[in-house]
Structure formats: C-alpha cells, structure tokens
C-alpha cells in the first residue's frame, strides 16, 4: 500500500472515529446524569477537564507561541469569547436534552446543522447554493414542520442546537488560529466560572464528584470526550475529500437517533415522516457535495490534459 493510500485510509478511520464518538456522546453523559449531576455541573466538569486536555494538545503541537499571540490580540479574544458563549449554550443544551429523554431531538438538530451551514454560507459569505442545496434545505424545512406537529410545539431543542453550532462555525471561520489553539482559549475562558461553580457545589455538599468513584470516573471523562473528537475532526478534515466529510457528518446524528429509539423515546408515525424528510434532505446534500467534488476533479483533469497537449512538440516533416 502506497503512503498516499495509507494516509487516506488513516484519515477515513479518524473521520469515522470522530463522528462515532460524537454520536455515542449520550452514552457518556447519561451516566453522569444518573449519578445525580445536572447539566450545569456536567458543564463545569467539561470546562475544567477540557482545558487540561486541550492544553496538553497545544503543548504537543507546539502551539504555545500562537496561544500567546491570540491572547495578546483583543479582536481575536473577543471573537473567541463569542464562540465560547455559543459552544457553551450548545454543550449545556445537549447534555440537558440527552438526560431528559430528548436524544431524538438532538439527533434532528445535528442533521439540520450542515444544511443550516449551507444557508448561512449563502447569506453571509455569498456562497452559491445549487439546486441540490435548495432541495435539501426545502426537504429539511418540511421535516422540521412535521417534527413540530409531532411534538405539539416548535422543536426548540433541535433548532437551538443547530443554530448555536452553525453560528459557532461562522465565528470560528473568522478566527485566525489553529483549531487546537482556539479550543484551548475557549476552554480557558470557561474554566474560571466552571471551577468556581464546582467549588461552590462541593463546598455546599451538593457536588457529585466526590460521592463515588463511579461518579468521579464519568465526570472526568467529560474532558477527553470534548477534546478528542475535535482533534480527530481537525486532523481528518485536512486530509479527506469534502465529499467524504460531507457524508460522514451524518454518522453522528444517525447513531444518536438509534440510541434514542433503543432507549424507548416516543417515535410515532409523524416523527417517522419528519425524519424521513430530514434523511432525504441529508442524502440530497451529500450527493450534491459529492457531485461538486467530482465536477472539480473532471475540470482539473481536463485542464491538465489540455496543458499536456499544448506542451507536446509539433510533429511534421523536418526542415530541409
């Protein structure tokens, strides 16, 4: 196997592992809830443990000087403060939802996320949406309507998760810093309030970390469960075709969907119709992404072939 094929295979494994970890996340945060911790306590542990793991990765990647530069740049710190608020909303709501019997709603939110990213790209960055993109967004909108009818109210959990994560992506796109550096600064901004809240909980006897070895184990997993998937994602995204990443990103909500169904969450025919439209929209989106990459490759091959033809010396009868 060539080095190029080996790297492509490793990138695929990293991408699958990243989205599989995100999909399995409910099975990590639910034991924390069963140990008695609510979403705010879990978030406190997520902030404290994540900064340690993110700091370690910054050291291993030798990005310490970049962290210093970021912290000395008020505009970048300001943008990362906004992204920190958005990701904190997303993380807290997700943890609350999976511990409140709403894993299916989180699944719907993360199915919507790439489609919302596409819409935001067109609105904010003037990116063009082709007919496949428009069809995918339309199908997702119909799915949201059916989800609202099935729930009897606006699917606010799904929409808030999708909007907060999409807005987070927009802000991070404007930040001139590596993924590990940005994540470390975000965790750093969350650490002080998280640590103070945990100290107050433990001091008042309401904390759960010291209640049992099992609770301590699960709560400490909040750090690597936050950091490792993001690192795998960053590594794989730089080495994998867009079409493959576009397909893999639906792995996480699919795993979460089956977790929600297997745990007995209500799944009537209306919710089935809702997810059918969402899945169809996701499929159209993935096909459109694959088609774009294929067209670019064919165009690049045509240009390369044309250049090669022009570089060939003209043949004919030699001069006398």
């Amino acid at each position: 196997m060539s080095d190029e094929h080996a790297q492509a295979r490793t990138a695929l494994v990293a991408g699958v592992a990243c989205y599989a970890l995100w999909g399995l996340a409910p099975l990590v945060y639910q034991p924390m809830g069963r140990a008695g911790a609510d979403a705010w306590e879990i978030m406190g542990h997520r902030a404290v443990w994540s900064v340690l793991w993110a700091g370690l990765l910054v050291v291993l990647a030798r990005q310490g000087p970049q962290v210093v530069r970021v912290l000395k740049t008020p505009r970048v710190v300001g943008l990362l403060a906004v992204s920190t608020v958005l990701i904190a909303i997303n993380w807290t709501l997700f943890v609350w939802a999976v511990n409140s019997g709403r894993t299916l709603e989180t699944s719907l939110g993360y199915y919507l996320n790439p489609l919302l990213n596409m819409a935001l790209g067109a609105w904010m960055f003037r990116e063009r949406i082709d007919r496949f993109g428009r069809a995918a967004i339309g199908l997702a909108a119909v799915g949201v309507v059916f989800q609202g009818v099935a729930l009897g109210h606006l699917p606010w959990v799904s929409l808030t998760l999708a909007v907060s994560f999409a807005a987070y992506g927009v802000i991070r796109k404007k930040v001139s810093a590596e993924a590990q550096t940005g994540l470390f600064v975000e965790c750093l901004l969350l650490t002080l309030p998280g640590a103070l809240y945990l100290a107050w909980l433990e001091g008042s006897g309401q904390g759960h970390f010291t209640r049992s070895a099992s609770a301590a184990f699960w709560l400490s997993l909040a750090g690597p469960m936050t950091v490792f998937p993001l690192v795998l994602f960053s590594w794989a995204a730089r080495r994998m075709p867009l079409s493959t990443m576009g397909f893999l990103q639906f792995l996480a909500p699919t795993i979460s969907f089956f977790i929600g169904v297997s745990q007995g969450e209500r799944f009537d025919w209306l919710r089935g119709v809702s997810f059918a439209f969402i899945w169809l929209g996701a499929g159209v989106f993935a096909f459109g992404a694959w088609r774009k990459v294929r067209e670019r490759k064919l165009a690049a091959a045509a240009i390369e072939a044309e250049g090669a033809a022009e570089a060939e010396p003209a043949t004919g009868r030699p001069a006398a």
Side-chain angles (χ1 to χ4, degrees):
M1 183 182 292
S2 68
D3 290 343
E4 184 177 343
H5 286 163
Q7 181 168 289
R9 185 173 180 177
T10 304
L12 179 62
V13 171
V16 170
C18 152
Y19 285 111
L21 284 172
W22 274 332
L24 293 169
L27 300 182
V28 175
Y29 293 113
Q30 287 170 348
M32 301 179 198
R34 287 194 291 270
D38 62 12
W40 295 108
E41 184 175 2
I42 294 171
M43 264 303 297
H45 281 284
R46 201 167 181 179
V48 170
W49 294 106
S50 292
V51 77
L52 299 176
W53 288 96
L56 176 62
L57 291 173
V58 165
V59 172
L60 292 176
R62 298 180 180 178
Q63 292 179 4
Q66 186 178 123
V67 171
V68 174
R69 285 197 301 272
V70 166
L71 293 176
K72 288 182 177 179
T73 310
R75 180 181 178 276
V76 176
V77 173
L79 286 172
L80 285 172
V82 175
S83 68
T84 299
V85 172
L86 290 168
I87 201 61
I89 291 171
N90 188 274
W91 287 352
T92 306
L93 181 58
F94 175 81
V95 169
W96 173 82
V98 299
N99 281 304
S100 302
R102 298 190 176 201
T103 301
L104 284 176
E105 292 182 55
T106 70
S107 172
L108 177 66
Y110 290 118
Y111 273 123
L112 290 174
N113 180 246
L115 307 180
L116 187 57
N117 282 340
M118 184 166 47
L120 283 175
W123 177 44
M124 299 188 67
F125 302 106
R126 306 294 182 185
E127 295 175 0
R128 180 176 169 272
I129 300 180
D130 59 17
R131 65 182 185 277
F132 295 102
R134 291 193 295 271
I137 292 172
L139 289 165
V142 174
V144 170
V145 170
F146 272 101
Q147 187 76 188
V149 174
L151 293 172
H153 58 79
L154 191 71
W156 64 271
V157 170
S158 305
L159 293 174
T160 304
L161 287 173
V163 170
S164 60
F165 201 66
Y168 171 79
V170 169
I171 297 297
R172 285 302 302 268
K173 190 172 182 178
K174 296 176 179 291
V175 175
S176 55
E178 293 291 334
Q180 293 97 321
T181 297
L183 175 64
F184 173 71
V185 174
E186 288 168 344
C187 293
L188 197 62
L189 293 171
L190 286 171
T191 298
L192 181 59
L196 289 174
Y197 181 64
L198 292 180
W200 176 78
L201 282 178
E202 294 296 335
S204 61
Q206 300 177 60
H208 295 85
F209 186 76
T210 56
R211 296 278 180 90
S212 67
S214 174
F217 168 76
W218 286 109
L219 288 169
S220 63
L221 271 185
M225 194 64 194
T226 298
V227 173
F228 284 175
L230 286 169
V231 173
L232 288 170
F233 171 81
S234 299
W235 191 87
R238 293 195 299 269
R239 296 166 175 83
M240 191 179 294
L242 175 64
S243 57
T244 307
M245 290 300 290
F247 176 76
L248 287 180
Q249 67 187 322
F250 296 110
L251 177 61
T254 301
I255 294 173
S256 295
F257 171 83
F258 284 110
I259 289 174
V261 171
S262 68
Q263 291 178 342
E265 292 188 23
R266 182 172 64 87
F267 189 71
D268 54 23
W269 71 272
L270 272 174
R271 293 194 90 170
V273 171
S274 168
F275 273 96
F277 275 100
I278 296 296
W279 289 330
L280 188 56
V284 171
F285 172 87
F287 176 76
W290 170 81
R291 190 170 177 272
K292 279 182 183 178
V293 173
R294 182 172 176 271
E295 287 176 351
R296 287 182 191 137
K297 285 183 177 178
L298 290 174
I303 292 172
E304 185 178 346
E306 184 179 345
E310 291 177 353
E312 289 181 2
T315 58
R317 182 180 295 178

